[in-house]
Amino acid sequence: MTARSFTDRDIHLALDGELPEDERAAYQMWLEANPDMKAKSLRFAADNAALRNLFAGVLEEPVPSRLVTAVNGDGPRRKQATPWWRMAAAAALLIAGGVGGYLAGMSGIGMGADSDDRMAQLAIAAHQTFAADKNRPVEVDGSDQAYLTGWLSKRTGLTLVAPDLTKNGFTLLGGRLVPANGSTAALMLYADAEGNRISVYVVAEGTERSKGTFTLASGGPEAVYWQDEGYGCAIVGTLPPEQMGVVAKDAYKQLIAGAGLARS
Amino acid sequence: MRSAVMDEKKAAILQEIPRLRRYARALLRDRDSADDLVQDSLERALVRMDNWRTGESPRRWLFTIMHHLFIDQMRKVSRRGEASILSLDATEALATPATQTESVASREIVDALQQISPDRRAALVMVAIEGFSYAEAATMLGVPAGTLMSRIARGREELRGLLDDQARRRAIRIVEK
């Protein structure tokens, strides 16, 4: 019986269960006769076991809901029918009319709920941290908007657009992810020619429908926000109130339209 | 096609998600980037449901879709020079509690795995972690069996070399103190 000669390539075959049954005994003898090859085989087997152990835990992790939604939803989320509450939010906004009246009349509404205050506070905190950073305010710049919004959408679970605020004098610097109240929010930053910066904070969080303006007791930037079940956004800046209202409303309308929600 | 067949197919796909997540995590390391890849794969699978023959296990079909997306993504990253953004994500992931509990040894293996070329990494992970046969892996990766074998052999050699380097560096650091 002439046993075929083995090479280190057979170490891989043996390790991966690809060595034919009738060659295994001869392979073992070859290993015993070649200590280097045996050492190599033991080392590869150990690395293999380490790799397998390292990722074994992933199978036990709860499956993120966005992945279940990707399968069970009727196709990709962005093609879903408009949820009623977003239509209602959009409609309410259109009815609100003049921005001055809107800001004056709405700032108190919905303030009983804590979640919107919390969202506004987080949006202001994010604005204060990142808009103030002259050199690196954003993580991904605005030059490739499709990439930016694709990334932010995926991470927040929303269909996001970067509102075009050029007619208000603001251009997109870019965006980043920031912490929200238990999830992740998208922060998009804009600057005008004078160097004023505003930020658009969007998160898939919210409990009940509310809208308003929010400023910290200590002063500083103002947040104009909208919230509904599962959706919240806040536009933050230090512009004069009238201008702030115009920019915020423009941004909000585009966000809603971009999500396919304003065609009611 | 809102039918019982459709629901059955969806249920079969749902069952594969843990496996898909594990494969993606080994390929990309960062948990969110890995889940992004899984989500992209599932979305693509759903629009191409007709390509999946009834009765066939969805596993190989889904892994094939994911592999194509992974390779596309790797090409885009190198073309656009966005590696810095991705590696930044990976660095940030180290700060999360889940990865903080990783031991030094396991972090070294994950790091080493990430340094292997994407083609070799995919081949090695499919066989060594996912337990596919050479024939199955070669089909899913769309390469001849010989190519698959050499990718696995080189991938293992490379991994071993990287781990040895890390161990050596660690030893030097200890001596320097």
Side-chain angles (χ1 to χ4, degrees), chain A residues 9 12-13 16 18 40 43 48 50 52 54-55 59 61 63-64 66 70-71 144 147 154-155, chain B residues 10 18 21-22 25 32 35-36 39-40 46 80 106 109-110 127-128 133-134 149 156-157 160 164:
Chain A
R9 163 192 174 95
H12 300 285
L13 290 176
D16 296 325
E18 299 280 336
K40 203 177 207 184
R43 171 61 193 271
N48 236 27
R52 245 192 311 246
L54 198 53
F55 294 99
L59 295 185
E61 289 175 7
V63 170
R66 63 177 170 128
V71 177
D144 188 344
Y147 175 77
K154 187 149 274 166
R155 292 296 306 274
Chain B
K10 283 185 175 177
R21 292 186 73 227
R22 180 171 65 177
R25 192 84 61 84
D32 291 313
D35 281 338
D36 286 352
Q39 189 174 343
D40 283 344
L46 283 167
R80 296 160 68 152
S106 55
I109 300 176
V110 177
V127 170
S133 72
Y134 284 7
M149 278 190 66
R156 274 204 183 106
E157 294 282 2
R160 183 181 62 161
D164 287 349

Side-chain angles (χ1 to χ4, degrees), chain B residues 105-126:
Chain B
S106 55
R107 200 177 307 150
E108 283 183 354
I109 300 176
V110 177
D111 284 345
L113 194 58
Q114 296 311 302
Q115 290 175 52
I116 299 178
S117 81
D119 283 333
R120 290 180 191 170
R121 200 189 318 160
L124 188 59
V125 169
M126 269 199 180

Side-chain angles (χ1 to χ4, degrees), chain B residues 31 92-102 107:
Chain B
R31 178 194 289 247
E92 284 165 350
L94 284 176
T96 65
T99 20
Q100 245 167 16
T101 58
E102 270 184 359
R107 200 177 307 150

Side-chain angles (χ1 to χ4, degrees), chain A residues 182-203:
Chain A
S183 68
T184 301
L187 187 75
M188 292 178 274
L189 277 162
Y190 293 79
D192 69 3
E194 276 92 74
N196 295 311
R197 285 176 172 181
I198 55 168
S199 53
V200 175
Y201 176 101
V202 193
V203 64

